[in-house]
Amino acid sequence: MSVTTTPHLNFRGEAAKALEFYQSVFGGQLVLITNEDAHSVETPEEAKQIKFGQVTGADGFQIMAYDVPSGTSYDQGEKSVFISVRGDSADEITELWNKLSAGSAIVEDLGPSGFAPLYGMLKDPFGVVWVLDVAVPWDAS
């Protein structure tokens, strides 16, 4: 058996733009299925909103998103979840940081930390908080 954990983000009318942005940062295949495509239009104004969307990269990156219908309660929250992106090299993380930080609010600048050679936190233009760092093996001894 194989199990994969994939962050699934909820938006209110911005899922397509968010997923297009994430594809521009991480690359990979973009899938956008609208309410109209899925034959599940409840409100005509929401026909072009995303019923199912995802970005899947060859390197294992994967994220999903959809637009919460207007008839359903929704509160994104201030810091309800952080999306963590870990890489093996500072160059890789710096390149992703430079792309992801465009239009984002920097929470903590990318730089050395007490637990990683490179760490940073930002809130992207869609309100999602991202943590990027260079992974290091943990030695509990």
Side-chain angles (χ1 to χ4, degrees):
M1 183 171 125
S2 176
V3 175
T4 302
T5 302
T6 304
H8 188 285
L9 304 175
N10 300 325
F11 294 97
R12 185 78 88 184
E14 292 188 305
K17 287 181 183 179
L19 287 168
E20 289 165 352
F21 176 64
Y22 302 147
Q23 183 192 34
S24 76
V25 172
F26 297 99
Q29 180 185 15
L30 173 66
V31 174
L32 297 174
I33 299 172
T34 65
N35 290 321
E36 185 175 57
D37 296 333
H39 307 288
S40 63
V41 176
E42 296 176 22
T43 309
E45 300 82 28
E46 297 176 357
K48 300 295 183 191
Q49 289 188 0
I50 301 305
K51 181 75 167 186
F52 173 83
Q54 72 178 11
V55 174
T56 306
D59 60 359
F61 176 83
Q62 190 166 346
I63 197 156
M64 299 168 67
Y66 96 118
D67 287 310
V68 178
S70 60
T72 303
S73 65
Y74 171 67
D75 179 7
Q76 185 179 28
E78 183 62 27
K79 292 182 181 164
S80 59
V81 66
F82 295 164
I83 305 295
S84 176
V85 177
R86 305 192 101 181
D88 295 329
S89 77
D91 290 342
E92 177 184 36
I93 290 300
T94 300
E95 180 181 346
L96 292 172
W97 177 269
N98 290 339
K99 292 177 183 177
L100 194 57
S101 64
S104 297
I106 306 303
V107 177
E108 188 168 332
D109 284 325
L110 186 65
S113 74
F115 56 88
L118 206 54
Y119 168 88
M121 180 186 288
L122 57 82
K123 182 184 261 188
D124 76 18
F126 305 97
V128 177
V129 178
W130 294 80
V131 174
L132 283 77
D133 68 344
V134 174
V136 294
W138 176 254
D139 182 6
S141 58

